[in-house]
Amino acid sequence: MFAAWSNPSNAGSPHILGELAAASIAAARATIAELIGASASEILFTSGATEANNLALMGIARWALETRNARRRIVVSAVEHKAVLEPAHWLKALGFEVVVVPVDSRGAIDCAALSMLVDEQTLLVSVMAANNETGVLQPMPDVVAICRRSGALIHCDGAQAVGKIPLDVVDLDLDYMSFSSHKMYGPAGVGGLYVSAAAPTPQPLHFGGGQQSGVRPGTEPVPLIIGFGAAARLARDRLDADAGHGRLLACRLLAKLDEYQVACRRITGDAPILPGSLSLLVPGVEADDLVALLRTTVCISTGSACTAGQVLPSHVLTAMGMDKVESSSVFRIYCGRYNTEAEIDLAATFIADACLRVRHRSGRLHQ
Ligand code: PLP
C-alpha cells in the first residue's frame, strides 16, 4: 500500500505506472477470488459491503425491469444489515414486493417460513452468512436449496463471514456475495461483490468511465485494493488458526466472567456462531451504561441504534423476540486475531467491575 501511495497511478493509464497499477489490481483480485472459490473475472470492487449490497439488490431489480422478467418479489431475513434492508425497502417504490423472513429466538433464519415465502414470483433472496450483532451463522446450504427449487436468485451478505470462516461460492452455489476489506483486517473503503458467471449481471447504479465493464465504473483505489488483497491472503493462510484463537479467547472470557460471578447468558443459545463473537445478556445491567463506563478500556458495543437522538432497540434483537428491557441489557464483544489472553483476562476484570458499578448506580445490587 505504501509503495502504491508513493507512486500514485491510474490503472487505466497507458504507460508503465498504469500497467503496474493494473497488474497490482489483477493480483489482488485473483487472491480475493481464491479466498472465496471464485474466478477473478467474477469479482467487482466496490467501496465496501454497503455498496456491494446495494448493487446486488438494486442492480438485479433494474435487470429484471429492463429484461421484462416478471418476478417482483424480494425476500430478506429480518436480521439483515441495514445495507440490505434499506435498498430492499426502497425497491417497493419501483413496484417490488419485499417479504421479511423471521428468525428464531437464537437469531437463526426460520427455513420452514422461508420455503413458504419463496415462490415462482421471487426474483431474489438475500440472507447474510453471519450476523453483525450476534455472530450467528445462517444455514446457507438450506437457504440456497430453497431458492433453487423455485428458480430465485440468491445473494449472500458475507461481510462478517468472509475471511473468518471457509466460504466457497461454488460449493454453496451462490449467485452473488458481498464482502468488505475492513471486516478482515484490511483497509476501510474497499470491498466487493461476487457475481457468478452463470447469474445475470446487476445493472449499474453509477455511470462513468466504463471501468469494471461499466458495472461499477470509477478509478480504482489502487492502494486500498492492494491492502485488501494482502488481507485476503493473510485471512486464507490464517483461517483455521484465527478461528481457533477466537474461540479460545471467547471461552476464556466467559470462564473469567463466571469466575467473577457476572451472571450473563449468551443470547444465541446453541446456534453456530462466528468464532470469537459473543453476544451477552447481563440481567439488570443497562448495556449502554456498561459501554460508557468501559469506553476507554474495553471496546464493546450494544445492539441499540441511535436514530434522531432516540435510542431504539436493535431490529436484530427485536426479531429474536426480545422486549425492550431485555435488549437493553445485551452487549457484544469480538475477540479478534490481534487480541491476547492477557487482554481478555484484563477485559474480564474491567467488565465485572463495571457490571457491579452499573448495578450499584441503578440500585439493583440487592434485588
Ligand atoms: N453487512 C454486514 C453484515 C456488516 O456487518 C457491514 C458492516 O458493518 C456491512 C454490511 C457494511 O459494510 P461496509 O462497512 O463495508 O460498507
Side-chain angles (χ1 to χ4, degrees), residues 10-25:
N10 186 331
S13 296
H15 48 63
I16 182 68
L17 283 182
E19 278 171 29
L20 287 174
S24 303
I25 291 177

Side-chain angles (χ1 to χ4, degrees), residues 48-50 53 81 128 132 157 159-160 180 182-183:
T50 300
N53 287 341
H81 192 275
M128 67 204 326
N132 47 303
D157 178 352
Q160 288 290 335
S180 182
H182 71 103
K183 298 293 178 198

Side-chain angles (χ1 to χ4, degrees), residues 30-328:
T31 309
I32 294 158
E34 193 195 324
L35 177 68
I36 59 168
S39 298
S41 57
E42 295 174 312
I43 303 295
L44 278 172
F45 286 115
T46 63
S47 59
T50 300
E51 188 192 334
N53 287 341
N54 276 263
L55 181 56
L57 272 81
M58 293 168 46
I60 286 306
R62 277 199 59 211
W63 167 82
L65 292 172
E66 282 176 26
T67 57
R68 299 191 193 284
N69 182 305
R71 293 176 181 242
R72 288 289 177 273
R73 177 176 283 198
I74 292 174
V75 178
V76 295
S77 91
V79 294
E80 292 306 303
H81 192 275
K82 290 282 168 79
V84 163
L85 295 177
E86 292 297 319
H89 290 298
W90 190 85
L91 285 169
K92 287 180 190 169
L94 296 188
F96 288 87
E97 177 200 14
V98 177
V99 177
V100 178
V101 188
V103 294
D104 64 20
S105 61
R106 305 166 311 155
I109 191 166
D110 180 342
C111 281
L114 181 71
S115 60
M116 306 271 283
L117 296 169
V118 176
D119 60 13
E120 267 65 33
Q121 295 309 309
T122 308
L123 173 67
L124 182 71
V125 175
S126 184
V127 173
M128 67 204 326
N131 184 267
N132 47 303
E133 286 186 36
T134 61
V136 167
L137 306 178
Q138 299 297 357
M140 290 314 296
D142 299 342
V143 170
V144 174
I146 292 167
C147 296
R148 292 291 174 233
R149 280 208 296 266
S150 50
L153 294 165
I154 170 81
H155 166 254
C156 173
D157 178 352
Q160 288 290 335
V162 173
K164 303 206 189 93
I165 56 167
L167 270 183
D168 186 298
V169 287
V170 174
D171 285 352
L172 282 173
D173 191 21
L174 296 172
D175 293 310
Y176 312 99
M177 183 164 75
S178 306
F179 41 86
S180 182
S181 157
H182 71 103
K183 298 293 178 198
M184 58 175 98
Y185 306 99
V190 65
L193 181 67
Y194 157 76
V195 178
S196 164
T201 305
Q203 289 286 309
L205 305 183
H206 302 95
F207 302 90
Q211 293 92 339
Q212 302 198 90
S213 308
V215 184
R216 201 293 192 170
T219 305
E220 291 93 341
V222 183
L224 297 184
I225 291 175
I226 290 174
F228 188 8
R233 190 178 58 244
L234 268 177
R236 181 202 58 197
D237 294 348
R238 302 178 53 140
L239 205 64
D240 292 341
D242 279 356
H245 182 65
R247 272 190 210 102
L248 191 99
L249 295 187
C251 273
R252 190 177 179 103
L253 183 63
L254 282 179
K256 288 277 169 195
L257 292 177
D258 189 48
E259 198 179 297
Y260 298 137
Q261 298 179 346
V262 176
C264 60
R265 74 169 169 85
R266 276 180 116 139
I267 62 163
T268 50
D270 61 357
I273 51 163
L274 212 54
S277 157
L278 284 173
S279 201
L280 302 175
L281 189 151
V282 196
V285 170
E286 277 291 328
D288 280 329
D289 294 344
L290 193 68
V291 170
L293 262 183
L294 293 169
R295 193 174 50 86
T296 57
T297 48
V298 191
C299 300
I300 61 173
S301 315
T302 63
S304 56
C306 191
T307 311
Q310 216 188 350
V311 179
L312 300 170
S314 106
H315 69 282
V316 174
L317 302 182
T318 306
M320 289 164 70
M322 280 194 194
D323 61 24
K324 222 173 152 185
V325 174
E326 270 183 319
S327 58
S328 70

